[in-house]
């Protein structure tokens, strides 16, 4: 159990376009989802925390108008990279928790989405 | 504030020899600590976690880690490396108290030679 999927796994787009990435919890209800960004050969940096039905909380330095997050249901969160530029090219990873024990819940990670902006 | 330091960016071992990946943490409260593994272009897989129970934690694939409060360390070990262990390993500490935020270390790339 506790499987998280992401779609698409890989996307290439032109500069100036917007790209939507989906994160789904397949076999559990995710009260909280997290979005991370990973640059090549670097660690994961938390971008934002998303709770179902409420606005996402963004980490310092992350542009909320650039990276739109929607957590419409307990099994789906989306990240939209608006007006993408080459510097937005990265590996985007989501995770989800069941939220039964806040502060101790395990995060289950999706396989990631590689975004390349030309 | 919470932080985690992985002391080695790269570790190379021969197949069948022991593995040691070092991690030190800093925490203002009793932390949860994790080790995750990431194979190329794959998602993160949890190897093991420490949440204030037994200090020696056994994980999957023969890995284990020992929580040492006096040394603020949580090193990952395996008695005998396998070729399939070659991957990126992340030491992770719980972030803000009473949230599920995680703070990731910079990662250690493990190479296993035949």
């Amino acid at each position: 159990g506790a499987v998280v999927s992401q779609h698409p796994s890989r996307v290439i787009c032109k500069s100036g376009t917007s790209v939507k990435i989906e994160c789904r919890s397949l076999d559990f209800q995710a009260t909280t989802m997290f979005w991370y960004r990973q640059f090549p050969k670097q660690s994961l940096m938390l971008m934002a925390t998303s709770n179902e039905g409420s606005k996402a909380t963004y980490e310092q330095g992350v542009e909320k108008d650039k990276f739109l997050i929607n957590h419409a249901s307990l099994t789906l969160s989306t990240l939209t990279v608006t007006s993408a530029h080459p510097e937005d090219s990265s590996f985007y990873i989501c995770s989800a928790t069941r939220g039964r024990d806040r502060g101790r819940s395990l995060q289950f990670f999706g396989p990631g989405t590689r975004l390349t902006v030309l | 504030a919470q932080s985690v330091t992985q002391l080695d960016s790269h570790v190379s071992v021969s197949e069948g020899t022991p593995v040691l990946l070092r991690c030190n943490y800093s925490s203002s409260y009793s932390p949860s600590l994790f080790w995750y593994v990431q194979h190329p272009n794959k998602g993160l897989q949890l190897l093991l976690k420490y949440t204030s129970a037994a200090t020696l934690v056994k994980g999957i694939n023969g890995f284990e880690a020992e929580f040492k409060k006096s040394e603020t360390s949580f090193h990952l070990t395996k008695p005998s490396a396998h070729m399939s262990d070659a991957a990126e390993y992340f030491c992770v500490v719980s972030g803000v108290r009473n949230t599920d935020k995680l703070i990731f270390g910079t990662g250690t790339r493990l190479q296993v030679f035949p």
Side-chain angles (χ1 to χ4, degrees), chain B residues 11 13-14 16-21 63-64 76-82 85 89 110-112:
Chain B
V11 170
V13 300
S14 297
T17 63
V19 175
L20 170 64
L21 304 184
F63 285 95
E64 63 181 38
L76 181 70
T77 60
K78 182 173 180 176
S80 176
H82 192 272
D85 294 328
Y89 291 80
L110 176 65
Q111 284 186 303
V112 182

Side-chain angles (χ1 to χ4, degrees), chain A residues 10 34 36 38 41-44 46 49 59 91 93 97 99 101-107 109-111 114, chain B residues 30-32 34 36 38 41-44 46 49 51-52 90 94 98-102 104-107 109:
Chain A
R10 186 180 293 267
F34 299 87
Y36 295 85
Q38 185 181 29
K41 298 184 180 181
Q42 293 189 30
S43 190
L44 278 73
L46 179 64
T49 304
E59 295 299 302
F91 196 50
I93 301 173
T97 68
D101 186 10
R102 191 168 296 279
R104 297 290 185 186
S105 296
L106 198 56
Q107 287 189 29
F109 286 83
R114 184 162 301 284
Chain B
S30 182
S32 294
F34 311 80
Y36 282 88
Q38 185 181 37
N41 297 314
K42 296 285 181 64
L44 289 155
L46 179 68
K49 64 176 180 177
T51 55
S52 76
F90 292 99
S94 50
N98 294 325
T99 74
D100 294 319
K101 285 187 177 181
L102 298 176
F104 280 76
T106 50
R109 179 161 297 277

Side-chain angles (χ1 to χ4, degrees), chain B residues 24-71:
Chain B
N24 285 101
Y25 70 90
S26 174
S27 178
S28 56
Y29 63 91
S30 182
S32 294
L33 290 157
F34 311 80
W35 275 98
Y36 282 88
V37 61
Q38 185 181 37
H39 288 92
N41 297 314
K42 296 285 181 64
L44 289 155
Q45 181 182 19
L46 179 68
L47 283 177
L48 50 80
K49 64 176 180 177
Y50 165 78
T51 55
S52 76
T55 56
L56 181 61
V57 183
K58 293 187 183 297
I60 61 171
N61 300 336
F63 285 95
E64 63 181 38
E66 187 172 6
F67 174 75
K68 291 186 176 180
K69 187 175 181 179
S70 61
E71 299 176 10

Side-chain angles (χ1 to χ4, degrees), chain A residues 7-73:
Chain A
H7 178 80
S9 58
R10 186 180 293 267
V11 58
I12 301 172
C13 69
K14 292 183 179 180
S15 187
T17 61
S18 294
V19 174
K20 181 184 284 188
I21 302 170
E22 292 186 348
C23 176
R24 291 182 186 273
S25 57
L26 297 184
D27 51 3
F28 66 100
Q29 292 187 328
T31 52
T32 305
M33 287 184 169
F34 299 87
W35 286 96
Y36 295 85
R37 184 173 181 177
Q38 185 181 29
F39 290 101
K41 298 184 180 181
Q42 293 189 30
S43 190
L44 278 73
M45 300 298 294
L46 179 64
M47 298 174 66
T49 304
S50 166
N51 292 294
E52 186 264 339
S54 61
K55 289 184 178 180
T57 303
Y58 290 81
E59 295 299 302
Q60 194 172 9
V62 177
E63 299 175 61
K64 60 182 179 182
D65 295 330
K66 173 76 171 175
F67 299 100
L68 300 178
I69 292 172
N70 184 288
H71 194 156
S73 76

